[in-house]
Amino acid sequence: QVQLVESGGGSVQAGGSLRLSCVASGITISNFCMRWYRRTAAGKQREWVSFIGPDGVTNYIDSVKGRFTISRDNAKNILYLQMNVLEPEDTAEYYCQARSCSTSAGGYWGHGTQVAVSS
């Protein structure tokens, strides 16, 4: 059974930092395309934030470039999102996703971790 469990969220002031973790079981994350998404309190569709592929290539939404860093620990099977210089606009529920790189739909999701950034 595949499980993704996020943690590391919390409440911080603008300019602060948080590191999110996504512990995976039932899959080997280095074999998957891993992504972080977020959804604001407005309840809109989840927004893609960051990506890391099996080859280590990374990508980010423009609004977080230079502030967020995605990484993974293959030995521990954990995905991370280091978030620096946080802004109130980063306030959201953050989710990790594991998906086969050969598909464009589906995948596995965690239940999310809440990030709140105050001004």
Side-chain angles (χ1 to χ4, degrees):
Q1 183 179 359
V2 177
Q3 277 195 317
L4 300 175
V5 181
E6 302 96 334
S7 64
S11 298
V12 296
Q13 290 191 322
S17 298
L18 286 171
R19 188 177 78 158
L20 306 184
S21 299
C22 172
V23 179
S25 58
I27 60 169
T28 301
I29 63 171
S30 59
N31 293 334
F32 282 75
C33 283
M34 301 297 298
R35 295 173 173 86
W36 286 99
Y37 284 78
R38 65 187 179 187
R39 178 159 55 198
T40 66
K44 295 179 182 178
Q45 191 172 2
R46 277 183 281 215
E47 171 186 60
W48 168 77
V49 175
S50 184
F51 162 90
I52 184 167
D55 56 1
V57 171
T58 61
N59 200 3
Y60 303 89
I61 192 174
D62 285 347
S63 60
V64 309
K65 283 181 180 176
R67 301 189 297 120
F68 289 12
T69 303
I70 190 171
S71 63
R72 62 175 184 246
D73 185 324
N74 292 338
K76 295 181 179 179
N77 213 31
I78 300 176
L79 179 72
Y80 298 105
L81 186 67
Q82 178 67 45
M83 306 188 296
N84 298 328
V85 196
L86 281 160
E87 302 170 352
E89 292 74 21
D90 297 317
T91 295
E93 187 88 6
Y94 283 74
Y95 302 85
C96 64
Q97 184 210 45
R99 193 169 82 201
S100 170
C101 300
S102 60
T103 64
S104 60
Y108 306 101
W109 292 90
H111 291 292
T113 186
Q114 180 67 42
V115 171
V117 184
S118 59
S119 57

